[in-house]
Every structure is written in structure tokens, then in C-alpha cells.
Amino acid sequence: MTDAFVSRTVEVTTGDRETVHDLTAACASFLGEVARGRSGLLNVFTPHATAGLAVIETGAGSDHDLLAALRSLLPADDRWQHRHGSTGHGRDHVLPALVPPHVTLPVIDGALRLGTWQSVTLVDTNRDNPHREVRLSFLGG
């Protein structure tokens, strides 16, 4: 099947502050175009050394709680050996070890199958790079 694997890049502007950006609608739209009732896997990947992907609840404060937890674990100060960029930028390079740059999710009958409150999110603590790419790849039969 020639369209068993389909991939597309989505551009995201995250701005100049820490953010949890909801990608769920973009994932659903992509699958609506390429999965067409098929089942398989959606891989979401961001090719950046300072961003990650998380499946979490959004809109009820969990996204803000995640950023607060990351600030506590990875303070934006001068303790980091990686020192270019804004103060504390070294922590942004540690982020993908805690919030990985990839997630693979089930697709059943053309639809993303998340839990009731789950969303697919891009987590970006890097204030120095406001433009991000996210690659969506569907593998299905």
C-alpha cells in the first residue's frame, strides 16, 4: 500500500515564554486527511534539542502545573554548564530527557484514541526560539 506511511510537518509559534501548546486538533486533522478509517499508529516528533511532547490534561490547570514542576526541577539560573542564550538556557537542553521529543499513539478506524481528558502537547521552555516544527507521521494498514 503506497500510503501506509504518511508524514507532514506542522509549524508552531510558541512565543517568548514557557508554554504547553495543544496539538490535539492538528493531530486529528492530519489523521482525518490521511488515515481515512484505517487503524495504525501516529508518531509525533519535534526535532529540537530544547522541546518535548507530553500527553496530559489541558485547560484545567495541569498544563500550568507541568510548567511549574519543570521550573522547580530545572530552574532558569546560572547553574548550567550549557551557557549560550538567555540565563538558564542550559535547562532547556535538559528538558527532553524528562519530556521526550516523541510520542506514539494508537489510531483506530481513522481516529486518534486518547483518554477522556488527554491532549497531545508540545512543551517548550526555551524563550530564545519561538518557532518550532512538529512532524506527524501515520503508519497504518
Side-chain angles (χ1 to χ4, degrees):
M1 175 178 277
T2 59
D3 60 351
F5 179 80
V6 183
S7 190
R8 177 176 304 151
T9 300
V10 176
E11 303 290 328
V12 177
T13 299
T14 57
D16 61 355
R17 66 180 84 156
E18 302 171 331
T19 189
V20 175
H21 180 86
D22 194 339
L23 298 167
T24 310
C27 293
S29 176
F30 171 69
L31 291 171
E33 293 175 32
V34 303
R36 297 180 303 278
R38 295 180 296 146
S39 296
L41 296 171
L42 174 67
N43 180 265
V44 186
F45 174 74
T46 187
H48 298 284
T50 58
L53 295 156
V55 177
I56 63 168
E57 178 181 9
T58 58
S62 296
D63 39 351
H64 299 291
D65 291 341
L66 173 60
L67 291 175
L70 290 171
R71 274 186 230 108
S72 178
L73 290 169
L74 304 171
D77 57 23
D78 63 357
R79 74 182 69 202
W80 307 101
Q81 291 184 35
H82 186 109
R83 293 188 186 268
H84 76 84
S86 61
T87 301
H89 176 64
R91 74 162 185 152
D92 301 326
H93 287 273
V94 176
L95 173 77
L98 302 175
V99 182
H102 59 88
V103 62
T104 301
L105 303 162
V107 177
I108 308 296
D109 297 328
L112 188 59
R113 294 295 185 214
L114 295 171
T116 302
W117 303 111
Q118 290 180 317
S119 297
V120 182
T121 65
L122 173 69
V123 180
D124 187 2
T125 58
N126 183 358
R127 300 182 322 256
D128 297 337
N129 185 357
H131 303 289
R132 299 302 187 155
E133 290 182 3
V134 176
R135 177 156 298 279
L136 306 176
S137 300
F138 173 69
L139 177 63

